[in-house]
């Protein structure tokens, strides 16, 4: 069983910064891709950043140049540095990891519990 614990959300003024963290724990798995998703009020969950095994990254256009995703494979962690925050960045942020389960020999996805980010204008 894999568990994800997120931290780092909060309330910040427009133009401010936050750093989100997500830590994976468990046994018998190997992490491949790691992502962050954003879900605004009355919106669907949407991927905003992704980092692949090896370090290649992709960003949603609206956060390109403002958000930076990174990972620490030794600790099983993924981070999202959010700078120049805007009110439209408000919402719940979820981390997602794509793993290879060595017990079942299958790829699986796991989600964090979500952390709230609020940006005031």
């Amino acid at each position: 069983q894999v568990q994800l614990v997120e931290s780092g959300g909060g309330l910040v003024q427009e133009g401010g910064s936050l750093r989100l963290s997500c830590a994976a724990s468990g046994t018998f798995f190997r992490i491949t891709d790691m992502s962050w998703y954003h879900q605004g009020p009355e919106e669907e969950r949407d991927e905003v950043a992704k980092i692949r095994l090896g370090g290649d990254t992709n960003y949603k256009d609206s956060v390109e140049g403002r958000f930076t995703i990174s990972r620490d494979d030794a600790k099983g962690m993924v981070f999202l540095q959010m700078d120049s925050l805007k009110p439209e960045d408000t919402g719940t942020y979820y981390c997602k990891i794509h793993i290879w389960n060595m017990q079942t020999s299958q790829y699986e996805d796991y989600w964090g519990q979500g952390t709230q980010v609020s940006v005031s204008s």
Side-chain angles (χ1 to χ4, degrees), residues 52-110:
R52 293 175 176 79
L53 186 65
D56 290 342
T57 58
N58 288 103
Y59 296 94
K60 185 180 180 181
D61 287 347
S62 60
V63 307
E64 180 84 51
R66 299 188 297 118
F67 290 9
T68 303
I69 189 170
S70 60
R71 61 192 288 168
D72 183 336
D73 290 326
K75 297 180 179 179
M77 296 188 71
V78 61
F79 307 95
L80 187 67
Q81 178 66 41
M82 304 187 294
D83 298 318
S84 303
L85 282 161
K86 303 177 180 180
E88 52 262 43
D89 297 321
T90 293
T92 304
Y93 285 77
Y94 298 88
C95 63
K96 187 189 83 172
I97 64 169
H98 188 61
I99 70 156
W100 173 251
N101 188 320
M102 290 183 277
Q103 289 186 304
T104 64
S105 297
Q106 291 182 327
Y107 284 103
E108 299 172 352
D109 288 333
Y110 287 87

